[in-house]
Amino acid sequence: MSTQANAANATVDLHFEERGGGLPVIIMHGLFGSLSNWRGIAQSLSANYRVINVDLRNHGRSPHAPGLSYEAMANDILAVMDRLGVERAHLIGHSLGGKLGMVLADRHPERVARLAVVDIAPKWYPPWHKDVFAALDAVDLETLESREQARQQMAAHVFEPEVRSFLAANLEQVDGRWRWRFNLPELKAAYEQTSDMPTLSGFYLGPALFIRGAQSAYIEAGDEERIGRDFPQSCIVTLEQARHWPHIEDTAGFLDAVTRFFAHGCHDFPEQPIG
């Protein structure tokens, strides 16, 4: 194996925040995100659970490192679990983090008690984020004076103000110069890989809840068969007022679904056809 391949597979020491006590819950954010997007959910769940909210590699305050394969990211999560003495945990994964949760559960089912996947299916997706990468490239870090200026520079490529704010939150100042917290070159290089989905073996037989936003295109009619094949004990719940960020757009509905699922598995979720 080449030196580059070794570096891409090396485990990195993830930054995380921990709060609460009880059964462990690990939260994994989506592409371009960070644990800060999930602090509100983590705080709510910490009343009953030991919540471990992580920054994935090349995101937030975790190390920048070569490689963004799901297998490498899964090993990063396992390393956090080992470091904290967590044998098994409930997982919550959104988008990129949802695919990561699926891979982790499939490869290491003995480490996952229950799996909650947020608005993503186990499949390949087209390059929907090209406009986001164009917006990020439009930000002139050399002359940037504020996050508001960055939001203005991104407006030609990303029209939704909330998405521009989400992206601009990843900017930080170091020694008077602005920079992205996430590793933008690595995210670009790995984008084709992260848009794809590793082959799953169907080894995870525990409960798996797929939470979808009714106004999102990420989980569509026809995906039930694929989800059921890869996760035989799965269920799907739709939050009618949500798009791709159900934990933000319908926080109450999201927390209700997750807490009921963690307590009772899929028993509280009757079959819901997507259509």
Side-chain angles (χ1 to χ4, degrees), residues 13-232:
D13 189 9
L14 299 182
H15 173 249
F16 63 89
E17 293 178 353
E18 184 178 8
R19 65 185 73 198
L23 292 172
V25 174
I26 298 175
I27 299 177
M28 300 169 292
H29 61 77
L31 186 65
F32 307 114
S34 71
L35 63 77
S36 64
N37 311 136
W38 285 84
R39 281 196 179 113
I41 297 295
Q43 180 62 42
S44 295
L45 291 176
S46 68
N48 296 298
Y49 296 96
R50 177 188 179 189
V51 182
I52 302 158
N53 189 11
V54 303
D55 279 334
L56 301 179
R57 63 165 60 197
N58 296 313
H59 290 80
R61 300 194 180 282
S62 282
H64 289 189
L68 204 66
S69 73
Y70 289 107
E71 287 77 9
M73 290 190 286
N75 287 334
D76 293 342
I77 298 296
L78 290 174
V80 171
M81 294 175 71
D82 291 342
R83 173 180 168 186
L84 296 177
V86 174
E87 290 295 325
R88 297 177 78 228
H90 298 328
L91 301 183
I92 300 175
H94 173 235
S95 201
L96 173 81
K99 283 190 172 183
L100 169 56
M102 289 187 262
V103 171
L104 181 55
D106 185 76
R107 304 295 194 264
H108 304 276
E110 74 284 356
R111 305 298 298 269
V112 179
R114 289 182 177 168
L115 171 66
V117 177
V118 186
D119 209 54
I120 201 78
K123 66 179 184 179
W124 170 87
Y125 283 87
W128 286 346
H129 294 91
K130 284 187 174 180
D131 57 342
V132 173
F133 284 115
L136 296 172
D137 286 337
V139 177
D140 186 351
L141 296 175
E142 295 299 321
T143 62
L144 190 66
E145 296 181 354
S146 66
R147 289 190 180 89
E148 175 56 31
Q149 185 181 23
R151 288 191 286 269
Q152 293 171 5
Q153 292 174 352
M154 287 189 278
H157 303 281
V158 172
F159 305 126
E160 301 91 338
E162 64 272 19
V163 177
R164 296 198 301 269
S165 294
F166 164 75
L167 295 170
N170 286 283
L171 285 164
E172 65 178 355
Q173 272 190 309
V174 178
D175 298 328
R177 296 170 63 90
W178 288 95
R179 71 178 186 185
W180 296 109
R181 285 199 182 99
F182 47 58
N183 185 350
L184 182 55
E186 197 63 37
L187 300 191
K188 284 183 182 178
Y191 184 58
E192 183 175 344
Q193 182 180 34
T194 55
S195 296
D196 205 352
M197 182 72 202
T199 300
L200 301 177
S201 304
F203 288 158
Y204 179 70
L205 301 179
L209 173 65
F210 286 73
I211 302 173
R212 66 180 289 267
Q215 302 172 47
S216 169
Y218 278 82
I219 299 181
E220 303 174 296
D223 287 337
E224 300 105 320
E225 181 178 355
R226 180 182 287 107
I227 290 170
R229 179 196 67 209
D230 291 331
F231 298 94

